[in-house]
Amino acid sequence: AQALRWKSEVVRRNYARSQRLLREELELWLPEVVELPQDTREAIDAIASFDMWHRLREHQGLSKKASVQLIEMLLRDLVLKSSHR
């Protein structure tokens, strides 16, 4: 979808819709995210994205376990940092 997005309005709309739905689902899984500052929510959305997962696994060659641990660490650090604001 990423490669075709620029060529097709339908793909662009569907991709945007799926990204919005994933963000809403993340807020269902982690309801405390809704209470965090906007910049932290944006960072959490980026960290939890498929793009981040793909980069860690495919481009950086991390194992599944290492990728999960890294994402968990980043999310935990962000939430803790935000709770001390």
Side-chain angles (χ1 to χ4, degrees), residues 24-76:
E24 291 170 5
E25 197 163 314
L26 179 63
E27 291 173 357
L28 290 173
W29 295 336
L30 302 169
E32 59 269 35
V33 167
V34 177
E35 304 298 322
L36 297 173
Q38 187 63 34
D39 61 337
T40 303
R41 291 174 68 186
E42 295 299 336
I44 287 171
D45 189 50
I47 292 167
S49 71
F50 174 76
D51 292 324
M52 177 71 149
W53 179 258
H54 182 72
R55 178 186 174 105
L56 292 173
R57 297 283 285 132
E58 296 297 320
H59 299 290
Q60 292 178 227
L62 271 65
S63 68
K64 180 180 177 182
K65 181 179 180 180
S67 298
V68 167
Q69 289 174 336
L70 179 61
I71 289 170
E72 284 179 355
M73 178 195 69
L74 291 169
L75 291 172
R76 206 175 300 116

Side-chain angles (χ1 to χ4, degrees), residues 6 10 17 61 75:
W6 67 274
V10 172
R17 183 174 54 85
L75 291 172

